[in-house]
Amino acid sequence: MFESLSTKLQKITDKMKGKARVTEQDIKDMMREIRMALLEADVNYSVTKGFVADMTEKCKGAEIEHSITPGQQIVKIVHESLVELLGTGDAKIAVSPTGFTVIVLYGLQGAGKTTTAVKLARILKQDGKKPMVASVDVHRPAAAEQLKVLAEANGIQCYIHPEEKNAVTICKEAIEKAKYMLCNFLIVDTAGRMTVDEEMMDELREISATVNPNEKLLVVDSMIGQEAVNVATTFENEIGMDGFIMTKLDGDARGGAALSIRKMTGKPIKYICVGEKIDNIEVFHPSRMADRILGMGDVMSLIEKAQQSIDEEKAMKQVERMMSDDFNLNDLLAQFEQIKGMGSMKDVLGMIPGVAGKVKEDDIDDTVIDKNMAIIRSMTKRERKNPKILNASRRKRIAEGSGTSVQQVNQLMKQFEQTAQMMKQLKGGKFGGMRMPKGFPGGFGKGGFGGFGRRKF
């Protein structure tokens, strides 16, 4: 997300970091470059103008702290200004004191409301809540069926009534059903249109008056650029919003909508969707996003992602096995599966300070994990437990079965042997500065993070 803008801003701030003395011309040049970077990222012109003017004033009047260089102080101001633009503080979902909270999702057709409803319900469920999702889209029957399928696949309560053609009636039924099922959250997925029209607004106003929602969230497609700001402004003026959920930030979106929408409406972004999978949704933290955009990493999000993806008890058992003589390819497969569960390596790398923004797209090959997993899964149980029996004919069979080459099988086995040897030395207290092997999950090797460097095999 924000890849183009992030790359440009990092180059601009990197030039400033090492400066022991910052002149007025330096500030002027930097602000011109920032202005161009924001406009190219499709940030609203008036937002860009105000943002740059505010930063220029702060940079000129900044008292240079003794502990850092003037250049670093300028970068600090850019970071703080970016956080302020994105919204200070984390905006949380308003919870009803009655114990039953209603959230209504609005948005244009194609923004991703239906999928987002289930994504949001999944987050609430992980947090110990009992949510129900309901579709009141009476114009597109397929939307209700889609919601039901997604909800059932994720163990979430769902209410639909495809035969009913009155959205308000379905709303009333959904509330009754949710309370009967002892759910404490109801997420209502409303109908969308290709464009905003009066008929749509009348229906949404009626729904809002009926359910009296605690949260009115607008789902915004970040791919539509500046139009997203116009859509958000219209909904805010017509119905009133409590916040936004930005979708499709994993695509070709330049990020301008997310940077503009908070400033133009005064309402916070509460969640962002960074992929099509149900778990590709994150609580929006302005400071963390600013860190990512400026290449400073996002350690907290990385830790949270790891906690969600990795079973701590299972991980501890794997560590114990790695330190024992019983470490085999089943254990290595389990580690690859856990790494895969954290998402793409590019996203993970983007959260690591010092690495964020430094690794290019061509430096990462996510398919290496899939290929290594395919190789191990093409082995027999006996071969996984005792890799020493893998002779030339066996390796040839495994390569054919996994759709890889013998060279790739040999490479994986070499990495496995290096890892096993390293664990033995570590157990015996003879680690002595040994570097992690290139294929060791989570390690840094010559080829880059965890062996997922330029080497593509």
Side-chain angles (χ1 to χ4, degrees):
M1 67 187 97
F2 304 114
E3 185 173 354
S4 177
L5 175 62
S6 180
T7 300
K8 289 173 183 175
L9 287 184
Q10 285 174 44
K11 286 181 180 178
I12 294 168
T13 54
D14 283 347
K15 287 194 294 186
M16 296 297 294
K17 285 178 183 176
K19 285 185 177 289
R21 180 173 175 271
V22 178
T23 66
E24 191 170 329
Q25 186 60 44
D26 288 331
I27 294 173
K28 188 176 180 180
D29 292 342
M30 183 181 75
M31 293 306 161
R32 184 177 64 252
E33 291 179 25
I34 289 177
R35 183 187 299 108
M36 289 302 298
L38 292 172
L39 291 174
E40 287 175 9
D42 214 13
V43 177
N44 181 273
Y45 175 75
S46 60
V47 171
T48 299
K49 184 179 179 181
F51 178 72
V52 171
D54 182 56
M55 270 199 307
T56 302
E57 198 63 34
K58 287 179 180 177
C59 289
K60 287 181 178 179
E63 294 181 7
I64 305 302
E65 298 178 16
H66 297 294
S67 59
I68 57 177
T69 66
Q72 288 172 326
Q73 176 69 4
I74 298 297
V75 174
K76 181 172 179 283
I77 291 171
V78 174
H79 179 268
E80 290 172 348
S81 298
L82 199 54
V83 173
E84 190 176 337
L85 179 64
L86 290 166
T88 54
D90 301 336
K92 297 182 179 179
I93 291 289
V95 178
S96 172
T98 65
F100 183 73
T101 301
V102 179
I103 301 171
V104 178
L105 301 184
Y106 304 108
L108 295 182
Q109 189 174 316
K113 289 191 307 300
T114 302
T115 307
T116 300
V118 180
K119 287 181 177 181
L120 184 55
R122 184 177 178 275
I123 283 186
L124 292 170
K125 185 179 178 182
Q126 287 180 330
D127 198 33
K129 307 296 191 299
K130 188 177 179 182
M132 173 182 281
V133 292
S135 173
V136 297
D137 188 344
V138 296
H139 307 281
R140 197 167 61 94
E145 290 299 326
Q146 180 190 2
L147 184 71
K148 182 181 178 182
V149 170
L150 287 172
E152 289 179 348
N154 289 275
I156 294 166
Q157 295 284 344
C158 179
Y159 181 79
I160 63 171
H161 191 171
E163 295 79 18
E164 177 59 56
K165 300 305 176 185
N166 188 294
V168 172
T169 300
I170 300 175
C171 283
K172 293 176 181 177
E173 293 173 351
I175 290 174
E176 290 179 10
K177 183 69 173 180
K179 289 181 177 179
Y180 176 78
M181 297 298 294
L182 301 180
C183 295
N184 45 28
F185 276 85
L186 174 64
I187 301 171
V188 180
D189 177 25
T190 62
R193 300 281 200 284
M194 294 304 293
T195 58
V196 176
D197 58 47
E198 195 57 37
E199 183 185 353
M200 173 190 187
M201 287 301 171
D202 287 341
E203 181 179 276
L204 296 181
R205 273 190 286 266
E206 200 172 351
I207 289 171
S208 183
T210 301
V211 303
N212 190 25
N214 303 96
E215 282 280 323
K216 293 185 285 187
L217 302 179
L218 181 64
V219 180
V220 180
D221 181 352
S222 60
M223 300 282 284
I224 64 176
Q226 279 301 298
E227 183 59 26
V229 177
N230 298 330
V231 170
T233 304
T234 302
F235 269 88
E236 168 61 16
N237 293 337
E238 293 287 337
I239 305 175
M241 294 290 117
D242 295 305
F244 303 96
I245 299 178
M246 303 296 300
T247 63
K248 306 180 186 180
L249 277 167
D250 59 316
D252 297 325
R254 290 174 287 180
L259 290 169
S260 306
I261 208 164
R262 172 70 173 82
K263 191 73 173 178
M264 294 297 288
T265 65
K267 297 300 171 68
I269 299 171
K270 299 202 173 187
Y271 293 92
I272 55 173
C273 296
V274 293
E276 294 182 2
K277 294 181 180 178
I278 295 299
D279 59 348
N280 291 151
I281 183 171
E282 302 174 8
V283 175
F284 184 72
H285 301 281
S287 59
R288 297 187 193 181
M289 186 56 66
D291 287 344
R292 288 198 214 180
I293 291 173
L294 294 179
M296 297 176 180
D298 184 357
V299 175
M300 287 305 298
S301 292
L302 180 60
I303 292 171
E304 289 171 2
K305 186 180 283 286
Q307 288 175 334
Q308 292 172 4
S309 306
I310 297 175
D311 185 319
E312 188 175 349
E313 185 178 343
K314 186 177 179 181
M316 288 303 296
K317 289 181 180 179
Q318 287 182 357
V319 171
E320 290 174 5
R321 285 192 58 82
M322 287 181 71
M323 300 291 284
S324 72
D325 294 332
D326 296 327
F327 181 60
N328 58 44
L329 288 166
N330 283 319
D331 302 310
L332 188 61
L333 176 62
Q335 291 209 4
F336 282 134
E337 288 172 343
Q338 288 197 336
I339 292 174
K340 190 72 177 172
M342 289 183 66
S344 73
M345 291 308 300
K346 180 183 176 183
D347 291 340
V348 172
L349 288 170
M351 298 180 189
I352 302 175
V355 180
K358 306 300 181 185
V359 182
K360 298 178 182 177
E361 184 86 40
D362 293 341
D363 292 333
I364 306 167
D365 183 13
D366 271 316
T367 62
V368 69
I369 299 181
D370 295 320
K371 290 176 182 177
N372 283 342
M373 290 169 67
I375 290 171
I376 297 174
R377 286 169 177 162
S378 294
M379 299 178 185
T380 64
K381 292 182 179 179
R382 185 182 169 208
E383 288 168 343
R384 293 188 200 182
K385 288 184 178 180
N386 186 16
K388 292 181 180 179
I389 66 172
L390 291 176
N391 55 27
S393 61
R394 287 176 183 267
R395 295 188 184 205
K396 183 179 179 181
R397 188 205 80 240
I398 291 166
E400 291 175 352
S402 60
T404 58
S405 66
V406 173
Q407 181 185 3
Q408 291 169 326
V409 176
N410 291 340
Q411 180 68 30
L412 175 62
M413 294 313 303
K414 182 180 178 181
Q415 292 169 358
F416 169 74
E417 290 163 6
Q418 287 177 333
T419 302
Q421 182 62 31
M422 182 189 68
M423 288 298 107
K424 286 182 181 179
Q425 292 188 330
L426 180 60
K427 181 182 178 182
K430 300 177 182 179
F431 196 52
M434 179 186 247
R435 296 182 68 186
M436 295 282 194
K438 286 181 287 186
F440 179 70
F444 287 88
K446 185 177 179 182
F449 182 86
F452 307 104
R454 289 187 180 277
R455 182 185 298 275
K456 296 181 179 171
F457 51 88

